[in-house]
Amino acid sequence: MAHTTLTAGQASARLHELTVVDVRTPGEYATGHLPDAHNIPLDHLDAALPALKVAAERGDLLVVCASGTRSVEACRRLAEAGITAATLTGGTSTWTQLGHDVHRPVGVRAPWPMERQVRLAAGSLVLSGLLAGRLRPGARWISAGVAGGLVFSAVTDTCGMARLLAKLPYNRPKATDLDSTLTALSGGRPSV
């Protein structure tokens, strides 16, 4: 099964009939998400397959992320499990740029978006490698490794550093949050 794509305008017009699944990290989700979106980080997708199958039987699924890359990956994995889903073209970035409504939890301090976390980590490692290289020339390989990783990331449109950063505690869902989301998708009360 192939996934379909919806533009922000198409998704906005159908939002009332779609079950929206946001596959970003909880920190990214907290910075603003589509109304009534359920947060299931991409690395928890396999555990959510039974609940997503139930939700897909009730209506169409729309999978979103920041730019569309992770949601395409999620749709591919859902299709392998026999679940049809659409992805939002341009992700939440395009959604917000076009002025569509986003929800943010009240009183929750959101961590930086993943893209900003990657820039900080990569820049810090490059700078550390260069500074340490003044004392130990071999330390410059740290900078070269990060540069190579960034080039690979751009060519493959993947990001290993983002995958590592997503495992940090503030980017992980609390078990109770994920359980609540899965219950809501399986037919229980909404989790948002």
Side-chain angles (χ1 to χ4, degrees):
M1 286 183 216
H3 72 276
T4 58
T5 58
L6 295 177
T7 65
Q10 292 168 326
S12 179
R14 294 187 53 206
L15 202 55
H16 64 283
E17 66 188 51
L18 297 169
T19 299
V20 181
V21 178
D22 191 320
V23 294
R24 298 177 297 162
T25 66
E28 292 174 293
Y29 176 81
T31 64
H33 54 270
L34 275 66
D36 298 323
H38 300 275
N39 185 219
I40 300 177
L42 186 59
D43 59 343
H44 289 272
L45 192 65
D46 292 338
L49 288 175
L52 290 169
K53 188 172 279 253
V54 170
E57 290 170 358
R58 288 194 313 267
D60 293 338
L61 296 180
L62 175 65
V63 182
V64 302
C65 66
S67 66
T69 302
R70 286 177 280 179
S71 60
V72 168
E73 168 67 14
C75 284
R76 183 192 61 74
R77 289 169 51 189
L78 290 171
E80 289 173 357
I83 302 168
T84 302
T87 186
L88 179 64
T89 304
T92 55
S93 298
T94 299
W95 178 269
T96 54
Q97 287 171 356
L98 294 174
H100 294 288
D101 188 30
V102 292
H103 289 184
R104 291 176 179 85
V106 178
V108 175
R109 184 171 177 222
W112 287 354
M114 185 58 64
E115 180 260 337
R116 187 174 179 191
Q117 291 181 46
V118 167
R119 287 192 323 238
L120 176 67
S124 297
L125 286 169
V126 168
L127 186 59
S128 297
L130 291 174
L131 291 175
R134 294 181 61 125
L135 299 174
R136 294 191 169 259
R140 290 188 179 123
W141 284 106
I142 294 170
S143 300
V146 173
L150 291 171
V151 169
F152 179 80
S153 175
V155 170
T156 62
D157 198 22
T158 61
C159 187
M161 189 174 290
R163 288 179 191 226
L164 288 173
L165 291 171
K167 296 186 183 306
L168 293 174
Y170 54 83
N171 285 324
R172 308 283 301 164
K174 295 180 187 91
T176 54
D177 294 342
L178 187 58
D179 291 342
S180 170
T181 297
L182 298 179
T183 299
L185 287 169
S186 296
R189 291 183 21 189
S191 66
V192 287

